[in-house]
Amino acid sequence: MEQTTLFGPICQVATMDGIPLKGSIPDDKLPKIHRAGILIKDGLIEEIGVYAEMHKRITANTKTIALQEDFVCLPGFVDAHTHICFAGSRAEDYAKRNAGKTYLEIAEEGGGIWDTVTQTRNASKTALIEGIIERAKKHLSNGVTTIEIKSGYGLSVKEELKMLEAIKEADEQFPVDFISTCLAAHITPKDFKGSPEAYLKIISEELLPLIRERNLSNRVDAFIEKGAFNETQIIPYLEKAKELGFLLTIHADQFSTGGSKLAVEFNALSADHLEVSTDKEIDLLAQSNVISVALPGASLGLGCGFTPARKILDAGGALAIASDHNPGSAPMGDLLSEAAILGSMEKLSNAEVLSAITFRAAAALNLRDRGVLKKGFLADLSFFPTSNLNEIFYHQGGLKPKMIVKNGKVIYEQN
Ligand code: NIG
Ligand code: FE
């Protein structure tokens, strides 16, 4: 007989079960089980219900993890947009921005993304792996059990492969799941002798097939923005990526609109940023299957407005929230604080914030096996030391989980 593990009793479990992928969610629609037990088998949830009843039915093959204090259990969080594979710091950019320069001005002067590209190219793959794991540990301490990680600081065939290999090897060394995305279309590298179109042609013909062949990623991202790529330039690249079987996601509407329309036209999984999206873009996204991903960490890092998350939900859109953790625009890398702050600034219910970092974020990564606590889903769980779910968002990231379970195993405990 297979071994099973019963966790409990748990004061409150927010299962997320039955909440739709799109639209607003009042807090009273958040499904909660009180005095709950969670039975786990082979890394998956076998049963979730009332602990006292489940405990009566345990057999000799059931290990019990008896909880001695009050906990709220949530699905492990999913951070659907990060750039945590990088070397170096951009503290100087941050200081310059706060002294009055814009993100795009700093980039034009040779700072910005290109500075991180230089430092990342100079780093060994081992150093990149160490950096990823160090940052992922911090995310894990917030309850994040799945992290999307983009390339995009290599910007040549060789260096982009190095980044994607580092992400893959880091994934093998650390229990949190890493989902990689090729962001070779971040900017045209400054050392490339040719047009943005010529650069995109080379990466679509030389890099993307190698990524597929070596099974390094099945996702492609592109930065649609002034100083990066425009819609006309990127279309042939996205067509090629689609043809090769990649799933698409777009850095859209961060400083100027355009990217979200493209995301809808290409049926991308997600359109991320959306700080300057107007009602027109919001409606377009809401009528599509594209998930809107807000990145409050980038608004905080750049000192600019937040994604209109309230409007996106009210229009019937699917909202996820991710950290965008990167050395330039979003150095904080604290998803729980950022999501709670967006909730406060945009007047989101706790149910909407929680959905945006669990099953709705999982959908942005095309993962349908996590983010909800019900039979057959991954046993990815975080246990917060409180008896009331509202305390978690109220503390805006100050209340950390005490125990985290990934695929049914305890991988983190804070004493
Ligand atoms: O999502 N907007 C473009 N890319 C990243 C920033 C990368 C960087 O500044 O290093 C972002 O904000
Ligand atoms: Fe980003």
Side-chain angles (χ1 to χ4, degrees):
M1 269 273 274
E2 301 259 6
Q3 168 98 47
T4 54
T5 308
L6 177 66
F7 284 83
I10 309 162
C11 264
Q12 278 186 350
V13 177
T15 65
M16 316 313 285
D17 191 14
I19 308 179
L21 190 59
K22 296 172 79 174
S24 55
I25 318 161
D27 273 333
D28 61 7
K29 288 280 179 308
L30 192 65
K32 286 186 212 135
I33 302 181
H34 298 270
R35 307 301 297 165
I38 302 180
L39 188 70
I40 293 169
K41 187 172 149 194
D42 291 336
L44 303 179
I45 295 173
E46 174 68 12
E47 188 185 341
I48 177 159
V50 175
Y51 180 79
E53 281 159 26
M54 292 170 77
H55 194 262
K56 279 187 216 152
R57 289 186 271 115
I58 57 170
T59 65
N61 288 311
T62 305
K63 181 178 156 196
T64 46
I65 300 199
L67 303 174
Q68 308 299 344
E69 58 178 302
D70 288 349
F71 284 109
V72 170
C73 176
L74 303 179
F77 299 148
V78 176
D79 194 340
H81 181 140
T82 84
H83 308 248
I84 60 168
C85 180
F86 65 86
S89 158
R90 301 240 298 279
E92 304 318 312
D93 287 13
Y94 183 76
K96 279 186 197 163
R97 279 200 303 276
N98 290 350
K101 286 228 159 90
T102 69
Y103 182 73
L104 294 177
E105 279 165 3
I106 293 166
E108 274 159 25
E109 285 172 6
I113 293 169
W114 183 246
D115 183 28
T116 301
V117 171
T118 310
Q119 302 202 57
T120 304
R121 285 182 178 177
N122 285 335
S124 66
K125 190 162 80 181
T126 311
L128 293 181
I129 294 170
E130 282 166 11
I132 293 168
I133 292 178
E134 190 190 305
R135 293 169 198 122
K137 279 184 184 162
K138 185 178 161 199
H139 285 271
L140 175 63
S141 73
N142 269 324
V144 178
T145 49
T146 301
I147 308 178
E148 185 263 12
I149 309 176
K150 299 174 196 299
S151 66
Y153 294 126
L155 307 189
S156 69
V157 174
K158 175 171 157 266
E159 293 295 327
E160 284 290 306
L161 288 174
K162 181 178 90 180
M163 289 191 73
L164 292 168
E165 282 165 9
I167 299 165
K168 190 174 184 178
E169 288 175 39
D171 185 37
E172 287 157 7
Q173 293 175 30
F174 198 66
V176 166
D177 283 333
F178 297 152
I179 310 294
S180 63
T181 305
C182 173
L183 179 57
H186 204 178
I187 54 167
T188 305
K190 287 193 191 288
D191 61 350
F192 182 79
K193 302 203 178 9
S195 62
E197 289 85 345
Y199 170 70
L200 291 171
K201 191 162 188 296
I202 286 181
I203 56 169
S204 68
E205 289 175 356
E206 294 180 20
L207 176 65
L208 297 188
L210 281 177
I211 293 173
R212 293 262 59 180
E213 235 174 84
R214 299 181 190 178
N215 204 13
L216 288 170
S217 177
N218 67 352
R219 296 167 43 85
V220 156
D221 193 349
F223 186 19
I224 312 303
E225 195 52 69
K226 293 185 185 109
F229 300 101
N230 66 34
E231 288 101 302
T232 322
Q233 289 165 338
I234 209 71
I235 285 174
Y237 178 74
L238 295 179
E239 278 169 350
K240 177 76 179 177
K242 216 167 182 173
E243 206 181 289
L244 289 169
F246 285 96
L247 299 166
L248 302 179
T249 172
I250 304 281
H251 274 73
D253 303 1
Q254 185 180 13
F255 305 108
S256 56
T257 55
S260 53
K261 184 162 169 270
L262 210 60
V264 172
E265 281 164 7
F266 274 86
N267 199 19
L269 279 171
S270 70
D272 304 29
H273 274 294
L274 310 174
E275 289 88 342
V276 300
S277 297
T278 68
D279 291 353
K280 191 170 127 212
E281 285 79 30
I282 290 169
D283 283 339
L284 202 64
L285 285 164
Q287 282 155 29
S288 76
N289 293 321
V290 180
I291 314 268
S292 300
V293 183
L295 306 170
S299 303
L300 293 167
L302 296 175
C304 64
F306 288 100
T307 300
R310 180 72 265 149
K311 282 190 168 184
I312 290 170
L313 288 165
D314 288 345
L319 178 81
I321 305 172
S323 73
D324 196 21
H325 190 186
N326 74 71
S329 60
M332 184 202 262
D334 185 333
L335 178 64
L336 185 54
S337 301
E338 292 162 3
I341 290 167
L342 187 71
S344 160
M345 299 303 289
E346 278 291 309
K347 307 296 167 220
L348 309 179
S349 69
N350 285 342
E352 288 165 340
V353 175
L354 186 54
S355 298
I357 55 176
T358 55
F359 71 100
R360 288 178 170 180
L365 300 178
N366 206 29
L367 301 172
R368 308 289 164 160
D369 59 353
R370 64 195 76 189
V372 178
L373 302 181
K374 73 187 239 194
K375 184 175 166 65
F377 278 65
L378 293 188
D380 291 358
L381 317 165
S382 62
F383 291 83
F384 286 82
T386 172
S387 57
N388 174 5
L389 181 139
N390 287 340
E391 291 280 339
I392 297 170
F393 298 101
Y394 165 63
H395 283 93
Q396 297 188 321
L399 183 68
K400 304 281 184 203
K402 205 165 171 189
M403 178 170 73
I404 294 159
V405 172
K406 174 84 187 96
N407 298 332
K409 300 224 157 44
V410 177
I411 59 163
Y412 173 91
E413 273 182 291
Q414 179 74 38
N415 291 317

